Amino acid sequence: MTAIATLGSHCALQVLKGAHDEGLKSILVCERARESLYRRFGFIDELIMVDSFREILEDKTAGQLEAQDAVLVPHGTLIAQMESDEIESIKVPMFGNRNILRWESDRGLKEQMMEAAGLSIPETVKEPSQIDGAVIVKRQGAAGGKGYFIASSPEEYDKKRGELVADGIIGKDEVLYIQRYIRGVLAYLQYFYSPLQKTLEFFGVDSRHESDIDGLARMPAEAQLGSKKIPSFNVIANSPMVLRESLLQKVYEMGDSFVKASSELVAPGMNGPFCIEGVYDENARFTAFEFSARIVAGTNIYMDGSPYSTLLYGEPMSMGRRIAREVRTAKEQEKLDDVLT
Ligand code: AMP
């Protein structure tokens, strides 16, 4: 029997509920501190207890998963806690394309992929001395928006960077990535590409609540001006959105070109879930500032399906369940090699 396994964080509940609904065994790799949380959910068939998620790199944990024909579903926690080389070395078969995760973590590769996909992206500012308008300063990897800041001049950059280093939020020699700040409506577009059917499904869209930049907007202007603290973009929660229907054609076009570019740059391409993240400006033009090459936590909103998955499926279909269905179908058709790396 094939099993679905994932690390106990991020979107593990959704992924394992989806596995259960598709009749697959569900296995959680669980850190001891969270055991009592995850034991509350009856759809989790087995917990493999670890002191740290990094034990998935070791033969003992990997062996336990391999012995059960488990497929590991990678998510943001895996990317945040492990280096690309480590992720690629994991012995357990992974859903989707493990090699594309490196392209998500590395800012240079990420930019290359987005350009190849023909996405409109914010201009990168190479040096702090070249800042001549609002920019957002980002950390490398999946930092989740923590330690990011906005600056409008080289002096403001130096001052804020210095404060964050002094507070121990960013490292003294850390290389930061500077990108033009785009104003508009933020939207995180969730897709699934089926390597079996060779079709793209637009699954949903969410907005994020980020602390404490969102809190700053709730303060009157005088209080904002008096506030000395540098706001962060740390994601706390997600909310559902629907887009104007006239935007959907372009949403599909962006997803299709992303899938095409990734198949040319990193075989076997963008299989499974991914997300294109960006901003709609006043002319409803989309600028993409990020992508995630795996399931995003924003899909947790739609455990019972989203407006868009409802249009595609006559049953409740979460992203987690969609992954499990692809695995189950691949197994039935003896095509597991097409959906795993
Ligand atoms: P990221 O880690 O790139 O997803 O960025 C974290 C958050 O920073 C996003 O959710 C946005 O709120 C904000 N952000 C990132 N890039 C930009 C940008 N170029 N313009 C405006 N806001 C941005």
Side-chain angles (χ1 to χ4, degrees), residues 107 122 136 138 144-145 148 179-183 186 188 208 210 213 233 235 277 279 289-290:
R107 292 271 174 208
I136 180 161
K138 304 184 178 189
Y148 288 19
Q179 190 175 68
R180 209 161 278 292
Y181 186 84
I182 311 287
R183 217 169 70 183
L186 295 154
Y188 303 81
R208 291 186 185 165
E210 295 171 330
I213 188 76
F233 291 75
V235 183
E277 310 167 5
V279 186
F289 54 70
E290 274 280 355

Side-chain angles (χ1 to χ4, degrees), residues 27 40 70 90 134 138 150 162 183 207 233 259 261 269 274 332:
I27 306 176
R40 292 171 191 269
I90 291 173
K138 304 184 178 189
I150 295 174
R183 217 169 70 183
S207 67
F233 291 75
V259 168
F274 67 102
E332 285 163 8

